[in-house]
Amino acid sequence: MNRVKKLTTLAGLCFIASAPFVSNTTVAEEATSDLQTLIEERQFGFKMMGRNIKSLRIELKKDTPDYEVMKKASMAIQTEAKKLPVWFPAGSGQESGIMTDSLAYIWKNPDKFYQFGKDLELATQSMIESAEAADKSASLGHLKAIKASCSGCHQSFRAD
Amino acid sequence: MKQQEQQEQPIWDLPIRIFHWLLPLLIGACWWTAKNHMLEYHRWCGYGLAFLIVFRIYWGFLGSYTAKFKQFIKSPFVVFRYAMRLVGKKNEQTTSMDNQPGHNPMGGYAVVLMLLVIGSQILLGLFAIDTDGFDGGPFADYIDYDLSRTFAEWHELLFNLLLVNIGLHIAAILFYRIVRKNNLIPAITIGKTSPNIPKHKFALMHLLIALGLAGLVVFAITQFSTTL
């Protein structure tokens, strides 16, 4: 009986001693899970921008574009572009172990990175205005500016 | 069976030699333009490859003797027997095998695989779109963005298979050069001749048709292009 009591006490001590490790693992798992969610969210956001840039391009190929579609697409791109500062916290690059094309250069040169985001916001604002004015020629120019900020950013900050 | 007239003549005709060297040039250009996000030029390099592949398929049916598919696509049994002899010691049989002009039974399938991979790359590229939704293949706007992106991902993945194929091709050339003491380069560059080859002069008319057809296919692609 005494032996059983000793074993029970030992098991209890082991459980208590392991508690900090269990708790640390859970915290680490939660952090990874949050990062995973954030990375998925930004990837979804960039895809959303791509979809809307495509629809802008499709409209601008037409003789008479649907300016309402263009305005909505531009607003959608702008909404996503504004999220850039919260999408890239430190540690959310490839070092996180999560599949991402974000290069470490984002965190080495954040000013340049976020400038592309600001340029995108401005270009989409101009696009919204030219769509409201039903100005196709100006819209084509703004589409080129949107494309320039996207591809400029990709060249420096995106893998592949 | 009628005995075919044999004479000393280039193993590979001039159009095939030009095709052969344009292929790596354009594949390299495609890779470089994609790597540097020059997708407009990438598209034109892709058109160049499409031209070459259409030409080669036509030439595989109506070109000269060594270019024809029926000359180099053999049964799997022949391929197996060839592979077995290839790894064996050099003897009369293997020497005679090495002296056969054109693609060997294994190389024949490598050519088919190369044409299939490049052809698939071109087809995928037609519908692929860049991540920013602006630059893409000429037919990217016929499908939605997400499907276009899937095509783009396959396009990237398949490029790795193409690299493996190119690596095997180079390895095979080195194997023949070093192990079999058979230098394959002069035949595909300066047009080294061989006496063991049936007369295979191609018809100029077929060359013109092949070039015209390849040009027509590329022209049709550009006409149906959805790029801005």
Side-chain angles (χ1 to χ4, degrees), chain A residues 47-112:
Chain A
K47 279 181 186 162
M48 183 67 91
M49 288 193 219
R51 275 184 214 112
N52 283 291
I53 291 172
K54 186 178 178 182
S55 64
L56 282 177
R57 197 170 47 76
I58 288 173
E59 287 308 318
L60 283 169
K61 276 191 311 190
K62 296 176 185 169
D63 291 334
T64 45
D66 185 331
Y67 290 105
E68 201 49 45
V69 169
M70 283 175 54
K71 189 181 165 187
K72 278 183 186 162
S74 308
M75 287 166 80
I77 299 165
Q78 196 178 51
T79 305
E80 299 304 322
K82 283 179 178 168
K83 294 178 188 168
L84 240 68
V86 290
W87 273 349
F88 291 90
S92 67
Q94 290 171 338
E95 73 280 7
S96 66
I98 301 165
M99 190 85 112
T100 170
D101 284 333
S102 308
L103 293 177
Y105 191 51
I106 292 173
W107 295 275
K108 282 184 187 155
N109 197 346
D111 292 345
K112 186 183 171 188

Side-chain angles (χ1 to χ4, degrees), chain B residues 3-7 9 197-200:
Chain B
Q3 186 69 35
Q4 282 182 290
E5 187 190 340
Q6 296 201 336
Q7 63 179 58
Q9 57 198 318
I197 188 165
K199 191 175 177 186
H200 72 149

